[in-house]
Amino acid sequence: MIDDKARLIENLTGVRSSKLNYYVELKKRNREIVIQNRRLEIIHQLSRDINIDMSLEMIVQRVYENLPPVIPCDFLGLITLEGSELRLVATQPPLPCKGLVVPRNSVLWETIRKQQEQVYLCVAGDGKLLEELPVQELELKCLILDPLKVKQNIIGMLIIGTREKNVYSQNDLAFSRQLADQLAICVQNRRLYEEVVQAKREWEEAFRARVQMQAQLVQSAKLAAIGEMAAGVAHELNSPMTVIIGNAQMLQRELGPEHPSSQLLKDIVTCGLRCKKIIQNLLTFARQEPPVVTPTDLNEVVERVLSLVKYQINRNGIVICTDLARDLPMVAANGQQLDQVLINLLLNARDALDGVEREEKHIHIRTGVRRGEDGQQQVVVAVKDNGQGIPPENLDRLFDPFFTTKEASRGTGLGLSVSLGIARAHGGTIEVESRPGEGSTFTLVLPLEEDRS
């Protein structure tokens, strides 16, 4: 009876109702405090978990996984400002619209210009202004658009979307602002990290090219010393060879052609003259003189170079075949530099046959005249081998300085680069055709003198 009276008094005075409202309000506040604490935990956790080497997709995925308990979220998108373009770079759930450039008439650009967050309600027809976002596909009803700011500079935008209507509160907007600030720092740190990595990569490549250049300078010094020594040796040999040839010729005249030793003396003279020619070619190649352009016969260049390197090639079991065009027109060139080009091409062909198991290994040298695509006449020297060929991935790098597939003791990676430079200095080029396992053809192409004027 007393309890009934007490309840009647509480109902009449409103005390019971106020108590209920108090408990409801207290429960609501406690829930908001829990959510707020959880939001702060998420922000701190993201600041710890997100690394600068993580991709933007991984960052968005990590954020998306933590959002549903504290804010309605059925879609999360990250947009970056790259120059004068807004680009959608990452979404959750993953969508094929990644990488899409945002059109200028989009609501997203309006948010960028205002530089402040806003809630966008996707009512009927409004989706046309946000075609770059999956509004219709995911049936989104409400979006938070929050710019990413670093020192008052806009670098992108965070987008949070939900299928619920009119659901985002001021607390949700405050949390979105905190989240956007944290993501802005992550995005900016990642950009700085990428710049540092790129700078480090460029520095390492530059350092490697200083080391390679130093090695090349040492090698060049060695070659210069060898060239000087070879020139000295050639001069020393030239005098005795002159004596040998001269005495043999005198004996030939005294004994006459009918003498039994006549053929032996003829062989001595022939071989002596050949040695003298080799010595003369060696001196010409080793001589350091300013390049002089004169009318040059490429057939003579081929024969001169073969006299220097033929033995090195033949001793490896390689047969040299020549097909030199008759009446080959002269080209305006520096013969010594063309010697260097052809020697490089022949030695490369020899190396391409090293270790190749074939019944017959051969290098074919051909000269001729052709008409280029521009209608100009060209003189060509083609060096073809049936060696191991060149992998397709290496074709574009053949003429890069220091690029080589040879052992360090066999190549510096400068031969083809220097050769191409010489060819271009003469108004020509070097063409390459190759098939792995079948061989390669390097063709020196030079314009005729009348076409260069």
Side-chain angles (χ1 to χ4, degrees):
M1 189 71 176
I2 294 176
D3 292 338
D4 292 338
K5 289 181 178 180
R7 277 194 291 274
L8 179 60
I9 293 173
E10 289 177 353
N11 290 333
L12 291 174
T13 60
V15 172
R16 183 177 180 84
S17 176
S18 62
K19 285 183 178 179
L20 180 61
N21 291 338
Y22 171 76
Y23 287 119
V24 170
E25 185 67 22
L26 181 63
K27 185 176 180 181
K28 180 180 179 181
R29 289 184 179 179
N30 288 338
R31 182 174 180 275
E32 289 179 353
I33 292 173
V34 170
I35 291 177
Q36 184 65 21
N37 289 336
R38 177 57 179 154
R39 287 173 173 174
L40 292 175
E41 290 177 5
I42 290 175
I43 296 294
H44 291 306
Q45 182 179 352
L46 290 175
S47 65
R48 294 192 304 268
D49 293 348
I50 295 177
N51 301 319
I52 56 176
D53 57 346
M54 291 175 62
S55 66
L56 295 179
E57 291 84 355
M58 293 178 62
I59 292 175
V60 170
Q61 180 182 0
R62 187 69 57 87
V63 174
Y64 182 73
E65 292 171 351
N66 289 275
L67 288 188
V70 296
I71 188 172
C73 181
D74 299 304
F75 171 77
L76 187 67
L78 184 64
I79 290 178
T80 58
L81 182 60
E82 303 173 4
S84 60
E85 291 183 344
L86 275 181
R87 192 177 296 273
L88 185 62
V89 294
T91 64
Q92 282 293 325
L95 296 171
C97 57
K98 174 189 169 184
L100 180 70
V101 176
V102 178
R104 285 285 177 175
N105 62 346
S106 172
V107 173
L108 303 181
W109 273 106
E110 179 184 349
T111 304
I112 291 292
R113 286 188 287 268
K114 289 183 177 180
Q115 297 193 17
Q116 61 184 15
E117 70 278 353
Q118 59 178 309
V119 176
Y120 186 80
L121 302 178
C122 304
V123 297
D126 287 351
K128 293 182 179 179
L129 297 177
L130 288 168
E131 293 180 350
E132 64 277 5
L133 299 180
V135 173
Q136 298 179 354
E137 295 90 330
L138 299 181
E139 299 179 354
L140 301 179
K141 297 296 187 297
C142 193
L143 298 173
I144 297 180
L145 311 179
D146 220 326
L148 304 183
K149 299 179 182 179
V150 176
K151 296 181 180 180
Q152 302 306 313
N153 294 322
I154 302 295
I155 65 170
M157 180 182 296
L158 172 68
I159 301 172
I160 302 175
T162 181
R163 297 186 180 95
E164 303 179 35
K165 296 181 179 179
N166 303 326
V167 69
Y168 291 128
S169 64
Q170 288 299 320
N171 288 336
D172 294 328
L173 290 178
F175 171 66
S176 173
R177 179 71 262 149
Q178 290 177 312
L179 185 60
D181 289 340
Q182 184 62 42
L183 285 177
I185 294 173
C186 294
V187 171
Q188 183 69 1
N189 287 344
R190 174 165 177 77
R191 287 181 174 178
L192 294 175
Y193 173 75
E194 291 176 347
E195 292 177 3
V196 171
V197 170
Q198 179 63 23
K200 177 176 178 290
R201 187 180 299 113
E202 292 175 356
W203 181 87
E204 288 176 345
E205 291 177 355
F207 177 77
R208 191 178 300 113
R210 287 194 301 272
V211 170
Q212 290 176 332
M213 182 63 72
Q214 184 180 13
Q216 179 56 27
L217 289 175
V218 173
Q219 183 68 11
S220 297
K222 290 181 180 179
L223 292 175
I226 292 174
E228 185 176 350
M229 183 179 65
V233 171
H235 277 296
E236 291 296 325
L237 290 176
N238 210 27
S239 297
M241 286 306 305
T242 301
V243 174
I244 292 172
I245 294 170
N247 290 337
Q249 288 175 335
M250 289 176 61
L251 286 173
Q252 273 185 316
R253 285 195 297 268
E254 290 179 3
L255 298 178
E258 304 300 329
H259 194 278
S261 300
S262 177
Q263 185 60 42
L264 292 176
L265 292 172
K266 184 178 180 181
D267 291 342
I268 293 173
V269 172
T270 301
C271 291
L273 290 173
R274 181 184 174 192
C275 292
K276 193 172 179 65
K277 184 178 180 181
I278 292 173
I279 292 171
Q280 187 60 42
N281 290 340
L282 183 60
L283 284 171
T284 301
F285 185 74
R287 189 177 296 126
Q288 298 296 322
E289 296 178 348
V292 178
V293 175
T294 58
T296 304
D297 185 349
L298 287 183
N299 286 345
E300 291 183 0
V301 172
V302 172
E303 292 172 351
R304 183 166 62 243
V305 167
L306 285 179
S307 71
L308 293 175
V309 301
K310 190 173 184 179
Y311 171 74
Q312 299 180 46
I313 296 175
N314 286 342
R315 72 177 183 176
N316 290 328
I318 301 172
V319 178
I320 299 178
C321 305
T322 58
D323 180 14
L324 308 183
R326 294 182 178 180
D327 301 323
L328 192 67
M330 295 281 190
V331 293
N334 177 267
Q336 184 180 354
Q337 290 184 339
L338 295 189
D339 289 352
Q340 184 177 354
V341 173
L342 197 55
I343 286 175
N344 283 331
L345 297 184
L346 286 170
L347 293 183
N348 281 346
R350 177 202 63 183
D351 294 340
L353 287 161
D354 188 27
V356 175
E357 298 296 332
R358 295 187 187 277
E359 293 184 2
E360 181 178 333
K361 297 188 288 186
H362 62 77
I363 296 175
H364 190 270
I365 307 171
R366 179 184 62 82
T367 62
V369 179
R370 75 179 191 186
R371 191 167 294 278
E373 295 181 357
D374 57 358
Q376 289 187 332
Q377 278 197 319
Q378 302 166 335
V379 178
V380 299
V381 182
V383 178
K384 181 179 180 180
D385 65 75
N386 62 339
Q388 56 193 353
I390 303 168
E393 62 271 16
N394 290 342
L395 283 174
D396 293 335
R397 303 182 60 195
L398 282 179
F399 297 99
D400 291 350
F402 304 110
F403 175 76
T404 180
T405 58
K406 301 177 185 178
E407 299 175 0
S409 60
R410 299 196 61 183
T412 62
L414 283 174
L416 286 177
S417 176
V418 171
S419 298
L420 181 60
I422 292 174
R424 287 176 173 172
H426 286 78
T429 188
I430 296 178
E431 300 174 349
V432 184
E433 295 180 6
S434 183
R435 292 184 179 180
E438 297 184 16
S440 306
T441 302
F442 285 78
T443 304
L444 171 63
V445 182
L446 299 175
L448 285 178
E449 186 176 2
E450 60 266 25
D451 289 330
R452 296 184 67 201
S453 58

